[in-house]
Amino acid sequence: MKRHNIPTAKYKVFNNFEKAKTYIEKAPLPIVVKASGLALGKGVTVAPTKAEALRALKQILVDKIFGVSGNEVVIEEYLAGTEISIHAISDGKNYKIFPTSQDHKRIFDDDMGPNTGGMGVIAPLPFVDEALLSKIEEKIVAPIIEGMIKEGRPFVGCLYPGIMLTDEGPKVFEINARLGDPEAQAYLRLLKTDFLEIVDASIDEKLDKLEIKWNDAFACNIALASNGYPGDYEKGKVITGIEEAEMQPDVVVFHAGTKIVRQGLTTNTVTNGGRVLGISATGLTLEKALSTAYGAISKIYFEGIQFRKDIGKKTG
Ligand code: GLY
């Protein structure tokens, strides 16, 4: 991002605990501490105090809670603003931007508690207009695709930058090379074009020939998680009501952490992960999609079920 002038947070990289500690002690708060490698979406701490930043630093660099993913730590300026997800499919030369979406990464309502893999999503975003999306394309997506070409590594696949809408304009805080989860669930509900056609066009360098068609609607997907997630949680809780939820119009239930258990003549679907189910719905308005999804959720139960009640409530 630095090489290609793509707007992002100021940062410094460390592999030495003492040097990182000294840096944190002088840096303004809040401050972001990131494991440099992959950590299932859990490697980032937004620390409001020095003590919390130092605790995260120690866990990553010394205690190695993320293993080798924590050999290096990135200490980054905190970007205040609204977080959104951008997805663009690229064939290495051409790209197509998907509708905007917004994940809700914290476990509790009002963005409280620790980060998770993603607790809910809406798409497209009513508060991102064409002008802002064009700016994001011009300042972020196009320079990434062009930058990758210039560096001799054309990017083929789904580019998913996480973007903060700050007072100084959109800034990138991470770049993923995949679809987001739960963003993908919302996109799959909105896509009219067969996803496989998009993948084929991307592989065959023919994205310029493909028009990706989207339903003129809104989609949401809300995660139902196990008690204790994103920390330790128990598995094997019997889930009821999935079929009833799926009978609601415009609802699709995605299985994330479930398992089928057969005992004699009984077959149960049980919890088998942190995020257990994704309840998705579409609607002509965002409010309709959300009320449909929450209506479907009311049919589902498992012991310790937790989910956010405020998905889609942000206004920008
Ligand atoms: N939406 C969060 C992620 O996929 O990383």
Side-chain angles (χ1 to χ4, degrees):
M1 285 192 275
K2 254 192 182 163
R3 281 198 297 277
H4 297 280
N5 224 359
I6 294 159
T8 188
K10 294 187 192 80
Y11 69 94
K12 249 180 137 44
V13 181
F14 296 91
N15 54 23
N16 176 287
F17 178 79
E18 286 307 321
K19 284 189 183 153
K21 183 167 174 250
T22 310
Y23 181 81
I24 286 176
E25 272 157 3
K26 290 191 195 131
L29 291 170
I31 189 142
V32 183
V33 181
K34 291 178 168 179
S36 186
L38 295 172
L40 295 172
K42 294 179 203 155
V44 180
T45 299
V46 178
T49 63
K50 304 253 146 132
E52 229 164 292
L54 293 175
R55 187 162 55 236
L57 181 71
K58 181 171 171 286
Q59 284 181 335
I60 298 170
L61 270 186
V62 181
D63 304 339
K64 292 273 187 231
I65 62 167
F66 302 118
V68 291
S69 286
N71 283 353
E72 233 176 34
V73 87
V74 182
I75 301 181
E76 206 169 86
E77 164 201 22
Y78 172 73
L79 295 178
T82 301
E83 181 179 328
I84 68 166
S85 299
I86 293 292
H87 287 65
I89 188 99
S90 169
D91 62 11
K93 222 158 76 188
N94 314 286
Y95 64 84
K96 298 265 158 106
I97 295 197
F98 285 13
T100 51
S101 61
Q102 182 176 51
D103 190 4
H104 297 61
K105 287 187 179 148
R106 304 296 193 102
I107 184 71
F108 300 128
D109 283 12
D110 300 321
D111 291 337
M112 304 299 273
N115 268 328
T116 67
M119 293 302 290
V121 66
I122 56 167
L125 301 176
F127 53 84
V128 176
D129 60 15
E130 281 299 319
L132 180 52
L133 187 56
S134 299
K135 190 169 181 184
I136 292 170
E137 175 167 1
E138 182 203 330
K139 302 257 179 230
I140 294 168
V141 179
I144 295 174
I145 300 292
E146 281 157 24
M148 296 296 282
I149 294 170
K150 278 187 205 143
E151 302 215 0
R153 305 172 72 105
F155 177 76
V156 178
C158 184
L159 183 77
Y160 155 29
I163 291 184
M164 196 64 84
L165 302 177
T166 75
D167 288 346
E168 295 169 349
K171 292 191 182 183
V172 181
F173 60 85
E174 64 176 13
I175 301 178
N176 303 287
R178 59 177 172 86
L179 279 150
D181 175 3
E183 288 88 334
Q185 291 88 315
Y187 289 139
L188 290 173
R189 299 298 317 278
L190 292 175
L191 260 183
K192 272 208 244 178
T193 307
D194 188 332
F195 185 65
L196 194 58
E197 263 185 66
I198 302 174
V199 173
D200 274 343
S202 153
I203 294 169
D204 297 339
E205 213 183 272
K206 286 187 180 149
L207 266 180
D208 52 336
K209 310 234 162 32
L210 180 74
E211 188 196 349
I212 302 181
K213 295 206 178 94
W214 299 92
N215 284 312
D216 195 9
F218 292 84
C220 66
N221 185 74
I222 298 160
L224 306 185
S226 297
N227 183 32
Y229 176 79
D232 294 340
Y233 53 84
E234 285 177 26
K235 297 179 181 175
K237 308 289 180 194
V238 174
I239 309 168
T240 56
I242 295 177
E243 280 174 18
E244 214 182 329
E246 281 176 324
M247 275 190 281
Q248 311 302 309
D250 306 320
V251 169
V252 170
V253 175
F254 291 97
H255 288 240
T258 62
K259 192 163 93 173
I260 292 172
V261 175
R262 292 191 178 84
Q263 243 178 355
L265 294 176
T266 324
T267 301
N268 282 318
T269 302
V270 302
T271 64
N272 195 40
R275 286 181 298 168
V276 176
L277 294 166
I279 313 305
S280 73
T282 52
L284 288 179
T285 63
L286 182 57
E287 291 68 30
K288 182 75 179 75
L290 288 164
S291 64
T292 302
Y294 279 111
I297 287 173
S298 70
K299 314 282 178 204
I300 296 178
Y301 177 78
F302 54 86
E303 194 189 309
I305 186 170
Q306 59 165 339
F307 60 92
R308 280 184 59 162
K309 320 280 186 307
D310 67 341
I311 302 301
K313 293 273 163 63
K314 287 182 213 170
T315 51

